[in-house]
Amino acid sequence: MRYGVAYYPEHKTPEDLEHDLELLINSGINTVRMGEFAWCRMEPQEGVYDFAWLEYAVNRLGQAGIKSILCTPTACPPSWLVYRHPEVLYVDNRGEKRPFGGRRFYCYNNAVYRDYSAKITEEIGKRFGKNPYVSGFQIDNEPAQEASGRCHCPACQEKFGKWLQKKYGTIEAYNRRSGNIFWGQDYESFDQIRIPVNTIEVSAVQALPVYFENPTLRMEFERFASESQIEYQKIQEEILHRCTDQPVTTNGTGLATNSIDYYESTKDLDCYGFDFYPGLRDACVDSFPYAFARGIKEGAPFWVMEFMSGGGHKFGGTGRVQPNPGALQQAVVQSLAHGAEMMLHFQFRTFPFGAEQLNYAIVDMDGVPRRRYYEMKDTAALLKKLEPLEKAGFDNQVAICVDYAVHWALRIKPVNDPDFKYLDYAGRLYRILEEQGYNADVIGYDADFSKYKVLVLPSAFVLEESKREKFRNFVAEGGTLLATFLTSVKNGDNVGYTDTLPAGLTDVFGVTVEEVEPIFAQNRNQIRLNLDGEEFLSADGMWCDLLGGTAKALGTYVTDYKKDSMIISENHYEKGTACYLGTDLEEEAMGALLRYLCQKSGIRKNAVKAGSRLEVVRRVLEGEEYYFVFNFTAEDTVVRTEAPMYDYLTGCVYEKEIPMKRNGFAVLRRTS
């Protein structure tokens, strides 16, 4: 595993640099990431390049066995570029032009900025592409972060109109498909169409709080902006791939923080990279982002370019508290268990200046190594022992399907806002499956379904006809599909289907949606589940798709006017089974339903028992099962096993119970 830190040699005096390099070399790590904010040092004047300072750090570390990931610095253009070409500046949804300062204040569609970005990337590629101590490249930094992914400048406005014209052909077709007749919004030409003023960008400010724009227009702008970011990224990717044989990627943020379609943006990259900042103080580190990362490129290993290192951001109330002793190491091993090929802490030494001054780091501002440094050192040594297991594969037979069009549509026109969040709900289903003993993959709608026995389809609000047929075929060929409320409500234009819901799939599920409503505290009702004679009671939640039809009722209402109405269904369709979950369920009932479907599909549970805040990850190597077990309970505990287990790190053999320390973990091999 590539393990290390982000480091900033451009900040350092010669004395501090030597001090830090010695600490890095003695730490046992094997990777550093550098350069993402240093354009002004790389090109202090236009066309004048200085890489000697960076080359010194790369070579000094490399000679000691530490490879470098180098970044293109295009997240922070130098002042000379901006003041010479103010047209490159970003314009937000309020029409405000971002001034020089901060970061990400440029327009990703501006031709001038793209040209300068290509030039600095070319120089980096030529200088470092064949350097034996460079083991990869990162493009830009956190694309679209800080509400910089939805530019409204004249260049973007013109390009958006042309993008719409290319997609729709005629303005008449666009008017018809988007339903512009509503409120009399038909256009005469694509030149009249303005970029939406409403935005789903995180941290953005709405210019007009009460202003309702066409949902198709808003969806298309999300697609356009995502494609524009990918187009900008591709300029640098193609240059770097010409200059080097080393992997090239970028670093996303969250699953959809910045509304870039990572399935599309990663296609031409060598791996998926992202940044992850979970809490590590008596906290359960959510592994859903890891499963998502693994699914981006159909199970390929992924890189974590920035990861939590400590606490004390700004020394203020909004900062993260320090991790427990052992929590850093536990989190790094957890990432490896889920398929991470790289894990880099942000950052090595606390910044004394700048917007991120006093930020968390492995080493504090004074440069004195303390417990976080020594824990990183111990972790680097441990990873060498675990290296043989990195080749272990995943053979999960359950997958959760997620889609960016669904995410965008449910942000543009929310359902049960703010309680229902699409990606959070998908993550909840993933976690409950895990607690029931079933590890799941997270995949997109274009993925290969053939290796899975069960697919879980959360709230497929937007479902194009081609994707409907793909899920239909999965069931017809023998798979089990569980779809939840809000399935196949809208087409790819973000326009509602006029067919009975779930549109185009009523025969597959054997149901029709008869009535819908959001579920709040005042209109909740009780549901009874009957799963092969085992009964469970649960309150409904989030939403209600009341069901009619010929399917078998797995769940019915027991209270209010909905009494005896079907809310959960099971239908045999050709060789497979399709179930429809018309509402949310409480933890026990949801777990029972997911367990029921996995058992009926012949999926074997993990031999080591998971539970709330106890995570178990199953891997397979040369026919043998390995279990990575993590204790997030904030106390010592005991984990139960249904088969004897050999502890890979201690040599102990456990028959039924495995002791686990607070923030502890174990790597186990099944012995029978």
Side-chain angles (χ1 to χ4, degrees), residues 1 287 290-291 294 299 301-302 304 329-343 383 386 389-396 430 434 439-441 615-620 626-630 632 665-668:
M1 189 180 188
S287 63
Y290 292 144
R294 197 171 62 243
F302 55 89
V304 183
Q329 184 171 106
Q330 181 190 51
V332 172
V333 176
Q334 183 198 25
S335 73
L336 181 147
H338 283 281
E341 189 177 62
M342 180 184 294
M343 167 67 82
L383 290 173
L386 295 175
L389 301 186
E390 292 178 19
K391 295 181 181 179
F394 296 86
D395 65 351
N396 299 330
Y430 167 88
E434 189 175 63
N439 292 133
D441 292 338
E615 183 177 46
V616 176
V617 184
R618 178 177 173 271
R619 304 280 296 271
V620 179
Y626 288 83
Y627 291 91
F628 291 78
V629 187
F630 302 94
F632 295 116
F665 59 90
V667 182
L668 309 170

Side-chain angles (χ1 to χ4, degrees), residues 69-267:
I69 304 295
L70 296 187
C71 309
T72 64
T74 49
C76 290
S79 59
W80 60 258
L81 191 163
V82 174
Y83 286 105
R84 192 169 299 170
H85 297 282
E87 69 272 20
V88 307
L89 290 171
Y90 184 92
V91 178
D92 70 14
N93 59 303
R94 301 167 299 165
E96 295 289 332
K97 181 178 284 191
R98 301 264 171 91
F100 176 81
R103 64 175 179 174
R104 310 214 60 85
F105 46 81
Y106 64 82
C107 170
Y108 43 85
N109 275 321
N110 183 275
V112 172
Y113 194 71
R114 289 187 172 195
D115 182 55
Y116 277 104
S117 297
K119 288 177 183 177
I120 188 65
T121 302
E122 185 87 41
E123 292 297 325
I124 291 170
K126 288 192 299 186
R127 187 68 174 256
F128 295 100
K130 303 300 182 184
N131 187 304
Y133 304 130
V134 174
S135 61
F137 291 86
Q138 174 188 302
I139 295 168
D140 203 85
N141 186 77
E142 296 184 340
Q145 187 73 340
E146 284 98 28
S148 64
R150 301 294 179 268
C151 185
H152 287 60
C153 76
C156 289
Q157 178 63 64
E158 180 182 1
K159 190 171 181 178
F160 181 48
K162 292 178 179 178
W163 184 90
L164 287 171
Q165 185 167 16
K166 182 178 179 181
K167 178 171 182 176
Y168 287 91
T170 67
I171 196 65
E172 290 78 16
Y174 175 74
N175 285 331
R176 173 177 50 79
R177 286 171 57 181
S178 61
N180 277 328
I181 189 59
F182 186 83
W183 283 357
Q185 293 177 358
D186 279 357
Y187 295 99
E188 293 178 304
S189 70
F190 288 100
D191 293 339
Q192 293 178 342
I193 300 175
R194 300 291 94 189
I195 290 176
V197 298
N198 285 296
T199 182
I200 62 174
E201 272 200 313
V202 176
S203 301
V205 178
Q206 303 297 354
L208 302 168
V210 184
Y211 186 69
F212 302 99
E213 293 176 292
N214 185 287
T216 299
L217 178 66
R218 292 193 59 190
M219 174 72 93
E220 296 296 25
F221 185 62
E222 293 302 311
R223 289 181 172 130
F224 163 78
S226 177
E227 288 183 19
S228 296
Q229 294 280 352
I230 296 167
E231 189 179 85
Y232 172 69
Q233 168 189 293
K234 193 173 179 64
I235 294 169
Q236 298 188 43
E237 173 264 316
E238 289 178 346
I239 293 170
L240 290 172
H241 274 147
R242 289 198 303 268
C243 295
T244 185
D245 295 327
Q246 298 299 332
V248 176
T249 189
T250 187
N251 56 335
T253 53
L255 279 66
T257 306
N258 298 333
S259 292
I260 299 172
D261 184 337
Y262 290 141
Y263 291 111
E264 291 296 323
S265 70
T266 312
K267 281 183 176 178

Side-chain angles (χ1 to χ4, degrees), residues 4-24 29 31-38 53-54 56-58 61 66 68-71 305-306 344-351 363:
V5 293
Y7 185 59
Y8 299 87
E10 68 272 21
H11 294 179
K12 305 299 178 181
T13 65
E15 295 76 20
D16 277 346
L17 179 63
E18 293 307 314
H19 172 85
D20 287 355
L21 292 179
E22 285 297 320
L23 284 179
L24 287 166
I29 64 170
T31 306
V32 297
R33 183 188 67 134
M34 299 186 288
E36 74 267 33
F37 301 131
W53 58 274
L54 182 57
Y56 173 79
V58 167
L61 291 169
I66 300 175
S68 293
I69 304 295
L70 296 187
C71 309
M305 311 303 291
E306 295 182 15
L344 304 178
H345 295 294
F346 183 83
Q347 77 276 20
F348 181 62
R349 187 167 168 182
T350 296
F351 302 133
V363 175

